[in-house]
């Protein structure tokens, strides 16, 4: 098998493509012929030794993959050889074969190709859980999505729209926001970098009421400004801090709006409630089969160009997902 290996911590160009022997399967594991692997910012941190989990050298980055099951451990019954699946693997996804826990494999709907499947798990899994289980978003509510051109952001827009919310999407690039607006048919997009008064626009758009639910994956100043344009009984979903700054919140604003700050940690929750997570994916797969979800993948790169894929993420060029393909026919 071929893998894009990290043999010592360093920048993306220090990764090396090498042949290596197949690892043996353990109990409950399956081997996948990887067709595509999703690229995420933690991949960048992992190869630099800045991620909380440090796999032993050599390892390949790549936490999520899609591919075909080619071998199963004797005790595995949930998937079989030939199944098309997506799987969370933690690391070692930038490779043409990967070992996955059978429990983490989801069988792809026929409507979904491997490229979309490779970038679907983390983004759509997180955003569905956030909007449905955590925020209990209702049709007709206003959903303000920050970082709406990113992976989890585009998924939140897509799912929120399908749930009947009125979407206001923010981001730092007019060009990326225009692509999101066109793809999802969104009327209101706001640039939080070039327009420091974006929260006033939220109030105007909502006739003074403010947003009911805020999907907050950016952090910093964006969170406090969101509290100031939140409706009564509003919920702010704390998803992440892509901007790098973990904000502090004036608690009086939460009191004044009868607001809720709602934490979201999909990766930990799915281990606690795996059956609910599976049901979430089944619902989304049904929507996808019916043509109701439109995941965005702006960049694909062959495995040889994994460093370019990582730089596309680092340089904020991506709209939706960046995916590495293994070049199989
Ligand atoms: N809570 C959970 O369970 C969970 C699950 C998955 C991910 N996350 C977190 O959610 C956040 C977004 O993840 P993602 O996969 O959607 O990432 P992504 O695809 O890289 O998107 C991040 C977005 O954040 C915006 N951003 C603002 N300031 C930025 C900066 N300084 N550097 C980079 N991006 C910046 C970018 O939009 P503009 O360029 O338009 O500003 C970008 O589109 C991350 O913090 C991630 O760790 C949380």
């Amino acid at each position: 098998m071929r893998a894009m290996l990290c043999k010592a911590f360093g920048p993306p160009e220090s990764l090396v493509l090498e042949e290596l022997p197949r690892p043996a399967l353990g109990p409950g594991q399956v081997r996948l012929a990887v067709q595509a692997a999703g690229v995420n910012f933690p991949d960048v941190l992992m190869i630099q030794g800045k991620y909380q989990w440090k796999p032993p050298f050599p390892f390949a980055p790549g936490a999520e993959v899609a591919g075909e099951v080619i071998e199963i451990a004797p005790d595995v019954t949930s998937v079989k050889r030939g199944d098309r699946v997506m799987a969370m693997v933690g690391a070692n996804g930038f490779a043409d074969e990967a070992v996955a826990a059978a429990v983490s494999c989801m069988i792809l709907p026929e409507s979904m190709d491997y490229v979309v499947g490779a970038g679907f798990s983390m983004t759509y899994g997180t955003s569905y859980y956030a909007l449905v289980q955590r925020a209990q978003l209702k049709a007709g509510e206003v959903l303000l999505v920050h970082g709406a051109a990113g992976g989890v952001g585009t998924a939140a827009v897509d799912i929120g729209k399908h749930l009947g919310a009125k979407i206001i999407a923010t981001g730092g690039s007019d060009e990326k926001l225009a692509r999101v607006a066109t793809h999802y048919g969104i009327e209101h997009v706001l640039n939080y970098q070039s327009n420091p008064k974006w929260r006033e626009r939220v109030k105007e758009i909502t006739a003074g009421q403010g947003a009911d639910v805020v999907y907050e994956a950016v952090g910093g100043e964006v969170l406090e400004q969101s509290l100031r344009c939140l409706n009564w009984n509003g919920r702010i979903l704390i998803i992440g801090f892509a901007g790098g700054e973990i904000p502090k919140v004036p608690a009086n604003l939460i009191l004044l709006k009868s607001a809720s700050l709602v934490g979201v940690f999909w990766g930990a929750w799915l281990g606690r409630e795996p059956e609910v997570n599976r049901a979430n994916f089944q619902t989304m797969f049904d929507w996808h089969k019916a043509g109701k979800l439109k995941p965005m993948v702006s960049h694909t790169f062959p495995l040889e160009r994994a460093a370019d894929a990582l730089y596309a993420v680092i340089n904020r060029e991506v709209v939706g997902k960046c995916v590495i393909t293994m070049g199989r026919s």
Side-chain angles (χ1 to χ4, degrees), residues 40-42 122-123 126 147-153 170-173 176-177 192-193 217-218 238-244 264-267 313-314 316 318 320-321:
N40 292 287
F41 199 74
M122 200 148 10
T123 52
T126 299
V152 295
T170 77
S173 144
K176 288 197 290 182
L177 283 171
Y192 47 51
Q193 272 186 344
V218 173
I238 307 295
I239 307 290
F241 314 100
V264 177
F265 187 0
W266 175 69
V313 170
I314 292 168
R316 289 162 78 169
V318 176
K321 288 299 297 184

Side-chain angles (χ1 to χ4, degrees), residues 127-148:
S127 293
Y128 189 98
Y129 167 58
L131 296 176
V132 175
Q133 273 93 26
R134 301 299 285 141
Q136 303 191 2
L137 178 71
K138 296 175 205 64
E141 288 192 312
V142 174
L143 171 63
L144 174 62
V145 180
H146 294 307

Side-chain angles (χ1 to χ4, degrees), residues 117-249:
F120 194 86
S121 299
M122 200 148 10
T123 52
Y124 278 74
T126 299
S127 293
Y128 189 98
Y129 167 58
L131 296 176
V132 175
Q133 273 93 26
R134 301 299 285 141
Q136 303 191 2
L137 178 71
K138 296 175 205 64
E141 288 192 312
V142 174
L143 171 63
L144 174 62
V145 180
H146 294 307
V152 295
T154 48
V157 168
D158 201 4
I159 294 165
K161 199 155 182 270
H162 185 58
L163 292 172
K166 296 174 187 157
I167 311 284
I168 303 174
T170 77
S173 144
D174 289 341
E175 193 249 320
K176 288 197 290 182
L177 283 171
R179 290 174 68 179
V180 172
T182 304
H183 189 81
Y184 293 113
I186 297 174
E187 191 182 343
H188 302 295
V189 292
L190 303 173
N191 187 323
Y192 47 51
Q193 272 186 344
S194 64
N195 176 11
K197 296 192 171 165
W198 60 264
R199 81 173 151 93
E200 290 170 21
R201 277 293 297 144
V202 173
K203 290 297 269 282
E204 283 165 21
I205 292 165
T206 58
Q209 297 296 298
D212 298 297
V213 174
V214 179
Y215 188 95
E216 219 297 69
V218 173
E221 177 70 1
V222 168
L223 177 55
E224 183 173 332
Q225 296 305 317
S226 298
L227 267 167
R228 294 181 188 278
C229 61
L230 193 66
N231 198 356
W232 179 254
N233 277 340
R235 292 86 82 198
I236 298 191
L237 294 160
I238 307 295
I239 307 290
F241 314 100
E245 192 190 321
I246 299 178
K248 291 193 169 38
V249 187

Side-chain angles (χ1 to χ4, degrees), residues 284-329:
M284 290 190 284
F285 290 164
D286 289 344
W287 291 352
H288 192 270
K289 278 188 261 185
K292 292 172 179 162
L293 286 185
K294 294 165 64 180
M296 291 184 85
V297 177
S298 65
H299 290 62
T300 58
F301 293 91
L303 182 59
E304 296 75 15
R305 293 185 57 205
D308 292 334
L310 291 165
Y311 275 116
V313 170
I314 292 168
N315 296 331
R316 289 162 78 169
E317 291 163 10
V318 176
V319 182
K321 288 299 297 184
C322 175
V323 170
I324 289 176
T325 57
M326 304 307 152
R328 298 172 186 278
S329 56

Side-chain angles (χ1 to χ4, degrees), residues 8-63:
F9 293 134
E13 56 273 25
S14 63
L15 296 175
V16 283
L17 186 60
E18 285 193 3
E19 284 285 340
L20 65 166
R22 287 174 150 182
L25 288 189
Q29 291 184 326
V30 305
R31 193 181 313 283
L32 306 177
V34 177
Q35 300 280 353
V39 184
N40 292 287
F41 199 74
D43 298 324
V44 177
L45 299 178
M46 201 180 276
I47 63 170
Q48 294 176 336
K50 294 178 183 169
Y51 195 58
Q52 62 251 34
W53 175 49
K54 296 178 179 61
F57 292 122
F59 68 89

